[in-house]
Amino acid sequence: MQGGSSGIGYGLKYQARCISDVKADRDHTSFLTGTLSLKEENEVHLLRLSSGGSELICEGLFSHPNEIWDLASCPFDQRIFSTVFSTGDSYGAAIWQIPEPYGKSNSSTLECVASLDAHVGKINCVLWCPSGKSDKLISMDEQNLVLWSLDCSKKTAEVLSKESAGMRHSLSGGAWNPHDVNSVAATSESSIQFWDLRTMKKVDSIERAHIRNVDYNIKREHILVTADDESGIHVWDLRKAKVPVQELPGHTHWTWAVRCNPEYEELILSVGTDSAVNLWFASASSEKKTSESSVVASPQRVNPLLNSYTDYEDSVYGLAWSSREPWIFASLSYDGRVVIESVKPFLPRR
């Protein structure tokens, strides 16, 4: 099934690339997004879906000093988030706190909790530990993984360990394993590398060229999904990772990001530079398995593409499922357009 879009839109003032679900907000469906303007003061917008689900409201507007290339919300404190930013000449990363009280009427200044200043080159991302109220986070540049201990009360971030991926590898991003807090997957030009954070050593890898993005399936322990520049989307079973267990076509241009649904294990979202968001049905494993969170699939299903959302005029880079309402997702195109969509029509009847 393919169609257009009937989503709820919100426009940012400037171009943008990143959006994050505010997982720690248990009372609202909320997202954080940041802008990417070279000449103007950049902004972070706190967006909340109205109680009726018909409007996207800006609950907070905050000034940010530099272009935002990566943004991630703290999983245990809704006022804390990280950004990777560029000054035009160099890159930096920092942890920020949203001031209280706040409102959309005036642009408030964010409070810098800590700077992640152990990097020299281009920083790609900051990863928060997905388990509980952990003080651990990782920052990653093209050559190094840095493990930090964050103390928000003291406003300090301490380097616990730092390790180079080697000169033959240029790291581009990664994902923290939600099933094993000691394991992180890092993407490079030619492989996915799996790192053990206890030793800060690479313990395994999947040789695969041009991987753009990676995400773990939260509901299935050994399942990993990758977005490749040119060859689409691949689902991997890490117990037998020589070849993917499923291949999805991806996008007509570069597939930029993939996200596994936090509740419905067969649903995968992808975005690309073809100005589309695709919703996929993926079996998620080579094993046959049923559960209450499974999406009902017809045995005759041939096309894994459930829907294509095309309400965009520019490349789509940002993508986030809501953890509070897992049938809702937010996407962000480069021209600063945020769209909230519901996948309820594709969920199982219970």
Side-chain angles (χ1 to χ4, degrees), residues 320-332:
W321 287 105
S322 165
S323 53
R324 180 175 175 268
E325 295 182 284
W327 53 88
I328 288 173
F329 72 86
S331 54
L332 172 67

Side-chain angles (χ1 to χ4, degrees), residues 46-254:
L46 173 60
L47 306 177
R48 284 179 178 165
L49 192 61
S50 64
S51 57
S54 60
E55 187 179 3
L56 194 57
I57 302 166
C58 180
E59 289 289 342
L61 176 61
F62 314 100
S63 59
H64 186 282
N66 306 109
E67 303 172 42
I68 302 172
W69 287 85
D70 175 77
L71 184 153
S73 180
C74 173
F76 57 82
D77 189 331
Q78 62 181 300
R79 293 175 58 207
I80 303 292
F81 66 96
S82 62
T83 62
V84 171
F85 52 85
S86 170
T87 64
D89 299 320
S90 62
Y91 279 80
I95 309 301
W96 306 89
Q97 180 168 282
I98 294 173
E100 284 188 333
Y102 55 83
K104 64 180 180 179
S105 57
N106 295 306
S107 180
S108 302
T109 301
L110 295 165
E111 181 181 355
C112 184
V113 175
S115 294
L116 307 181
D117 52 6
H119 298 272
V120 176
K122 179 184 177 182
I123 306 171
N124 292 309
C125 64
V126 174
L127 306 177
W128 293 86
C129 180
S131 178
K133 200 171 180 179
S134 174
D135 63 344
K136 303 296 188 298
L137 50 85
I138 287 173
S139 57
M140 193 181 303
D141 62 38
E142 292 181 324
Q143 298 297 328
N144 303 286
L145 276 79
V146 183
L147 179 64
W148 300 83
S149 175
L150 176 68
D151 190 329
C152 291
S153 61
K154 295 181 179 178
K155 297 183 180 179
T156 60
E158 176 188 359
V159 175
L160 297 178
S161 53
K162 180 177 179 178
E163 189 64 38
S164 171
M167 295 302 294
R168 294 188 302 107
H169 301 282
S170 180
L171 302 178
S172 57
W176 205 314
N177 189 340
H179 308 286
D180 181 358
V181 295
N182 296 310
S183 178
V184 165
T187 58
S188 74
E189 294 175 340
S190 58
S191 66
I192 313 167
Q193 303 178 9
F194 298 95
W195 289 75
D196 187 328
L197 299 181
R198 292 167 295 189
T199 60
M200 286 300 281
K201 300 297 182 184
K202 186 178 71 172
V203 294
D204 204 354
S205 65
I206 298 174
E207 299 305 313
R208 192 85 183 184
H210 307 301
I211 290 179
R212 175 71 64 176
N213 194 236
V214 62
D215 194 30
Y216 283 94
N217 189 317
I218 298 175
K219 305 296 287 185
R220 297 233 179 130
E221 184 175 351
H222 303 287
I223 300 301
L224 187 79
V225 181
T226 59
D228 299 5
D229 270 355
E230 299 172 357
S231 53
I233 301 161
H234 294 87
V235 182
W236 303 85
D237 187 329
L238 298 179
R239 294 166 295 184
K240 39 189 173 182
K242 290 185 177 180
V243 294
V245 296
Q246 190 172 5
E247 298 185 16
L248 304 171
H251 291 252
T252 57
H253 202 244
W254 288 351

Side-chain angles (χ1 to χ4, degrees), residues 239-295:
R239 294 166 295 184
K240 39 189 173 182
K242 290 185 177 180
V243 294
V245 296
Q246 190 172 5
E247 298 185 16
L248 304 171
H251 291 252
T252 57
H253 202 244
W254 288 351
T255 303
W256 194 264
V258 286
R259 296 290 182 269
C260 299
N261 187 279
E263 180 62 30
Y264 301 98
E265 58 201 36
E266 291 101 344
L267 292 184
I268 295 173
L269 281 172
S270 66
V271 295
T273 52
D274 59 353
S275 307
V277 179
N278 289 341
L279 176 67
W280 305 93
F281 178 90
S283 59
S285 177
S286 54
E287 298 176 354
K288 298 294 183 181
K289 179 179 177 180
T290 59
S291 72
E292 288 187 4
S293 64
S294 294
V295 178

